[in-house]
Amino acid sequence: MVTSYRTVDEFLAGQTDVRRAEINALREIVLGTNPDLVEHIKWNSPSYVFDGEDRVTVNAHGKAVNLILHAGPSIVEDKTAAPTFDGGATGLLKWHSNIRASMSFDSLDEITLQRQAIADIVGRWLATTV
C-alpha cells in the first residue's frame, strides 16, 4: 500500500530516521537558495515552487535520495533534446530531458560533502530557467 502524503510533516513522519536526516539536509540546502521558494507536497514528495511553478522536488522513494530539477509545465519537455542548463563541472547532474535533471545521493555524508555544489546548482537553476 502506497501512503499518500498531504503535508511535508506527514511525509517526514513516514520516513526512517536515516532517510529523514537525508531529506532534511536537502530541504535545508534547497530552501536556503532562495527566500521565495514555497515548499509543499506534489508527486507525493516535498516539492518547491518558484514563481508559481514547481521547479525542484525531493524524491526519496527509492534506494537513494534524489533531487529533481525541472522547469515546470510551461516549457515542453523533449527527452531527445540537449539540456537547457549547464550544471557546471561537478558531475552531479544526470539529464533526463532538455528541462529535467536529477542529483542522486546515497548517504547523508555524501549530501554534506556536496552541500555547496548542490546549493550552487539549485540557485543557478532557479535563476536561469524561469
Side-chain angles (χ1 to χ4, degrees), residues 9 11-27 60 65 108:
D9 287 340
F11 177 85
L12 291 170
Q15 308 304 312
T16 65
D17 290 344
V18 170
R19 184 50 55 97
R20 188 177 311 110
E22 295 166 344
I23 295 164
N24 277 329
L26 286 174
R27 291 176 63 224
V65 177
L108 179 58

Side-chain angles (χ1 to χ4, degrees), residues 2-96:
V2 175
T3 301
S4 235
Y5 301 107
R6 292 173 294 162
T7 68
V8 174
D9 287 340
E10 280 182 8
F11 177 85
L12 291 170
Q15 308 304 312
T16 65
D17 290 344
V18 170
R19 184 50 55 97
R20 188 177 311 110
E22 295 166 344
I23 295 164
N24 277 329
L26 286 174
R27 291 176 63 224
E28 182 181 306
I29 294 167
V30 170
L31 288 167
T33 64
N34 191 298
D36 295 327
L37 284 172
V38 176
E39 182 180 53
H40 70 137
I41 291 289
K42 186 161 186 176
W43 303 295
N44 214 26
S45 297
S47 193
Y48 303 87
V49 174
F50 183 70
D51 248 5
E53 294 196 45
D54 284 280
R55 302 296 305 287
V56 179
T57 301
V58 174
N59 180 318
H61 301 296
K63 288 177 75 176
V65 177
N66 297 291
L67 193 60
I68 312 298
L69 308 180
H70 43 87
S74 63
I75 300 173
V76 177
E77 182 173 27
D78 182 345
K79 293 183 180 183
T80 63
T84 57
F85 172 74
D86 175 13
T90 65
L92 288 175
L93 287 177
K94 176 181 178 186
W95 285 96
H96 306 283

